[in-house]
Amino acid sequence: MAEIRSPVSLVSVEFEIFGKVQGVFFRKCTRDQGSKLGLKGWCRNTESGTVEGVLEGTPDQVNMMKEWLRYKGSPQSRIDKAEFRNEKVIESLSFTAFGVKK
């Protein structure tokens, strides 16, 4: 008897990263890591000195990116805090790639 598999679920989560994350290629590295993991979404600098954005992908992809955002970042960054908000299951992706907004 064949195993019945449900379609892979997709999730979306907003993030904001605090610390030394501007002027240290954090957005570029975030875009590169998000693309490498197959995520869709975006990131941008904020006026308050943080980096914010949205991640969309499978739960595994999103969890790997959350770990990267919490503990790794760009080589010269210093991550003091990572906040994740509004995590939800989505039916389809809203973005076609992972990009950097100005």
Side-chain angles (χ1 to χ4, degrees):
M1 187 171 184
E3 182 179 333
I4 298 173
R5 294 180 179 231
S6 62
V8 174
S9 63
L10 297 171
V11 295
S12 172
V13 65
E14 298 170 8
F15 66 88
E16 187 168 8
I17 312 302
F18 300 79
K20 184 181 175 189
V21 292
Q22 290 190 8
V24 291
F25 297 98
F26 195 89
R27 290 177 302 153
K28 178 194 176 301
C29 290
T30 299
R31 180 199 62 209
D32 293 350
Q33 182 68 14
S35 296
K36 178 180 165 185
L37 291 173
L39 290 165
K40 310 301 182 205
W42 56 268
C43 64
R44 68 177 169 207
N45 287 337
T46 68
E47 289 183 11
S48 60
T50 65
V51 171
E52 67 179 3
V54 174
L55 306 171
E56 290 184 346
T58 67
D60 285 345
Q61 290 169 316
V62 168
N63 286 332
M64 284 189 276
M65 189 65 179
K66 282 179 169 181
E67 289 298 300
W68 187 89
L69 288 167
R70 273 188 192 108
Y71 303 114
K72 185 155 175 125
S74 65
Q76 279 117 29
S77 67
R78 184 194 74 246
I79 300 163
D80 295 337
K81 180 171 68 166
E83 289 184 354
F84 300 96
R85 300 181 285 276
N86 300 324
E87 187 160 347
K88 60 190 173 193
V89 174
I90 56 175
E91 290 187 20
S92 60
L93 299 169
S94 306
F95 308 99
T96 57
F98 198 96
V100 172
K101 289 186 173 186
K102 300 232 180 217

